[in-house]
Each structure stands twice: as C-alpha cells, then as structure tokens.
Amino acid sequence: MNAIKLTELPVPATYAESIQHSIRTYKRMGIDIAFIDQTTVKITQSRLINGYILNNKELYDRAKEVLEGAGNFKIVPVVFQLDIDSITPAWIERKMEELGISRNDLVRQLALDKATLSLYFSSGRGLTRTAKAAFFYYFLTYELNRDFRDNESQ
C-alpha cells in the first residue's frame, strides 16, 4: 500500500505547510503519519523514543490535532509493535553489558532460576516469545529508571 503525497489531497494551502511540519516533527519522534488515500490517514508508532509507548487513542488524538481544519479524514492508528525476532541471547548480553547488569541481577529481578537463564544463553532452549518480551520491557524499564535517576541528580 503506497502512501500519497499531501499535495495530492484537497487540503487547503493554509494548512498544508503546518501539516507537513508536524509530520516531519513526529517522524523524528518515531511516529509516522501517511495519507493512504484521499480520505484515510495512518499514524504508526514505529520506534520508541525515551521509552514512551502510545495507545490507539493517543495516536488518534495526535493525528486529529495535526489534521485540525484540513478536512475530515478517517484515522487509522497503529500502536508500537515489538520486533520479537530482534531479542536474542546476544541482544540480552549486549544490554547487560551496556547497563552493567549481571546474570545474578537477572535471576533476582526477573524471578528466574539460574538453570533457566543458563539455558536461554546456551543452545539448549530457545527464548519463548513471552521471555523475549519480558527481557525487552525489563531493559526498557531499567534504562528509563537509570535516566530518571541521572536527571534527578543534576
């Protein structure tokens, strides 16, 4: 499905520049806004910036604000979707090194037993989708807490 350009839409010129500016700004924030056809706009949170996850209503409201006064568009929000295949034992180890987290920290903080964690890092057992999601959101929370603590101490 190819998006169409803003210039191809019946949008008053007075709004077009503002809409284009908003689209560029949101893109830098990991949110893509695309005109699917003459009446439909898709807003997608494709990346997490500062760990902020938007729900359908929040995405819808942001698109509505961008399009205010430009006509009636059907808005299709698409929330952030975790790329589960990117979570591998190597990814987990990089995050552990980056954040200074030990295997014992993971055992305690994720309520894992040492044997299960060892199997995750060996070829003995693959990570389940649920385990991958748990690791992703654990590290995301850890990073956010670290950044929050760093900002408070300044």
Side-chain angles (χ1 to χ4, degrees):
M1 176 167 28
N2 290 336
I4 62 176
K5 295 178 183 171
L6 180 60
T7 55
E8 299 174 39
L9 297 171
V11 173
T14 54
Y15 295 105
E17 189 175 324
S18 173
I19 292 171
Q20 199 60 40
H21 175 72
S22 294
I23 289 172
R24 284 191 302 271
T25 300
Y26 273 115
K27 182 142 187 88
R28 286 192 301 273
M29 297 179 349
I31 298 171
D32 300 319
I33 300 173
F35 294 92
I36 303 306
D37 58 37
Q38 297 286 325
T39 61
T40 309
V41 173
K42 182 167 89 170
I43 181 167
T44 306
Q45 185 173 19
S46 55
R47 293 178 291 120
L48 294 183
I49 305 293
N50 297 326
Y52 197 75
I53 301 172
L54 300 170
N55 63 33
N56 274 334
K57 182 175 180 348
E58 291 168 321
L59 286 169
Y60 178 90
D61 289 345
R62 286 170 191 235
K64 192 84 168 153
E65 184 179 303
V66 167
L67 299 169
E68 188 173 337
N72 290 329
F73 290 92
K74 176 184 175 192
I75 299 171
V76 179
V78 180
V79 296
F80 173 76
Q81 296 175 2
L82 175 60
D83 176 13
I84 207 79
D85 294 331
S86 68
I87 313 300
T88 63
W91 181 91
I92 294 168
E93 288 177 335
R94 280 192 306 275
K95 286 294 196 181
M96 289 171 59
E97 185 177 327
E98 174 188 323
L99 299 168
I101 296 172
S102 70
R103 286 189 180 202
N104 282 335
D105 293 331
L106 291 179
V107 166
R108 290 185 202 107
Q109 295 171 346
L110 288 174
L112 296 170
D113 58 72
K114 288 182 180 184
T116 300
L117 187 61
S118 291
L119 286 173
Y120 284 155
F121 287 111
S122 71
S123 59
R125 181 190 333 168
L127 289 161
T128 64
R129 293 178 60 80
T130 303
K132 289 179 178 187
F135 279 109
F136 176 83
Y137 288 107
Y138 166 79
F139 288 120
L140 177 62
T141 302
Y142 198 92
E143 289 171 347
L144 293 172
N145 286 329
R146 178 201 59 196
D147 294 346
F148 179 73
R149 285 189 304 268
D150 289 349
N151 285 336
E152 274 199 342
S153 65
Q154 293 177 357

